[in-house]
Amino acid sequence: DAGITQSPRHKVTETGTPVTLRCHQTENHRYMYWYRQDPGHGLRLIHYSYGVKDTDKGEVSDGYSVSRSKTEDFLLTLESATSSQTSVYFCAISAGKYSNQPQHFGDGTRLSIL
Amino acid sequence: GQQLNQSPQSMFIQEGEDVSMNCTSSSIFNTWLWYKQDPGEGPVLLIALYKAGELTSNGRLTAQFGITRKDSFLNISASIPSDVGIYFCANAGGTSYGKLTFGQGTILTVHP
């Protein structure tokens, strides 16, 4: 187990409401990532962080924001949730940015927006 | 952006059969990764490949880094029911910060 906890594990909410997902790690890894998983698309990168207060956009960042005020926590926020953001969200961590330091994933948050 | 084309999309096999799946891209990569995802869980790294032509095994799993550096293959020998899941190829493409691009996944079903 890579020491990654995602919360909540499941959430149902309504269109237009704000939603925040949390990723907590106990590995003290520098790099953290948020992905979403949809049928037929694999996993797609939303945002990532390369240190405290250092974040950047991924492939599908529109409608999402992130924050990282501590090494161990990486928050993903949907400011005004839409039905197209219904998905399974995964957090990943990595000790380094190089490909020989592979990412380890949490167990995901299943988010449904009605 | 870069895309990885993974095939087949799904496979239905009998226990004991061998399985092959592959991943291709129009871009050249320095690394290929293979992940497996069990239902309700996050992906878990199976095999990492770092050199063109490299052949690496992990138990019944064998993966190869294509010599053109644009493709990779994963083989599972003598499949068992616990092999069921989704298999993903992925790579970072030499980009900074380790950002991964994933294939669409191969859904494997094994009938006892």
Side-chain angles (χ1 to χ4, degrees):
Chain A
D1 196 352
I4 307 169
T5 304
Q6 290 187 233
S7 59
R9 291 296 313 277
H10 303 272
K11 186 174 181 65
V12 180
T13 190
E14 295 183 346
T15 300
T17 60
V19 177
T20 295
L21 308 183
R22 179 183 184 231
C23 179
H24 178 78
Q25 59 143 331
T26 58
E27 306 296 321
N28 200 36
H29 283 350
R30 178 180 176 185
Y31 295 86
M32 299 185 75
Y33 309 83
W34 277 107
Y35 294 86
R36 61 178 288 174
Q37 183 177 21
D38 304 290
H41 289 279
L43 284 84
R44 292 178 292 176
L45 182 66
I46 305 171
H47 280 280
Y48 64 99
S49 171
Y50 45 97
V52 173
K53 297 186 179 180
D54 291 324
T55 65
D56 206 347
K57 297 178 180 180
E59 178 187 0
V60 289
S61 60
D62 288 348
Y64 301 95
S65 62
V66 291
S67 65
R68 191 166 177 203
S69 59
K70 299 183 292 184
T71 298
E72 58 266 35
D73 289 325
F74 192 31
L75 304 180
L76 177 70
T77 297
L78 291 65
E79 300 290 348
S80 178
T82 67
S83 58
S84 65
Q85 294 175 310
T86 292
S87 187
V88 182
Y89 291 85
F90 287 97
C91 173
I93 65 174
S94 175
K97 64 181 180 180
Y98 299 105
S99 54
N100 61 352
Q101 295 166 299
Q103 295 176 24
H104 299 280
F105 287 80
D107 286 336
T109 294
R110 184 173 295 276
L111 178 62
S112 296
I113 301 167
L114 308 178
Chain B
Q2 60 182 315
Q3 288 187 337
L4 302 182
N5 298 309
Q6 189 171 348
S7 65
Q9 291 187 0
S10 61
M11 302 182 73
F12 298 85
I13 63 171
Q14 292 293 129
E15 183 177 359
E17 291 184 4
D18 297 341
V19 173
S20 292
M21 60 190 77
N22 69 81
C23 201
T24 62
S25 174
S26 58
S27 302
I28 292 175
F29 296 108
N30 296 320
T31 303
W32 281 97
L33 307 171
W34 285 94
Y35 283 84
K36 182 195 177 192
Q37 183 180 28
D38 291 326
E41 299 182 9
V44 174
L45 183 66
L46 296 174
I47 293 178
L49 302 163
Y50 301 111
K51 185 178 178 181
E54 179 182 357
L55 188 70
T56 297
S57 294
N58 178 5
R60 293 178 295 104
L61 277 63
T62 301
Q64 184 164 21
F65 193 145
I67 57 174
T68 66
R69 295 169 62 192
K70 293 183 179 181
D71 56 8
S72 180
F73 305 86
L74 177 68
N75 296 314
I76 305 173
S77 63
S79 59
I80 59 178
S82 62
D83 290 334
V84 165
I86 307 176
Y87 292 79
F88 293 100
C89 60
N91 57 50
T95 60
S96 61
Y97 304 116
K99 296 178 289 182
L100 293 181
T101 297
F102 284 82
Q104 305 96 320
T106 295
I107 302 171
L108 179 64
T109 302
V110 180
H111 294 288

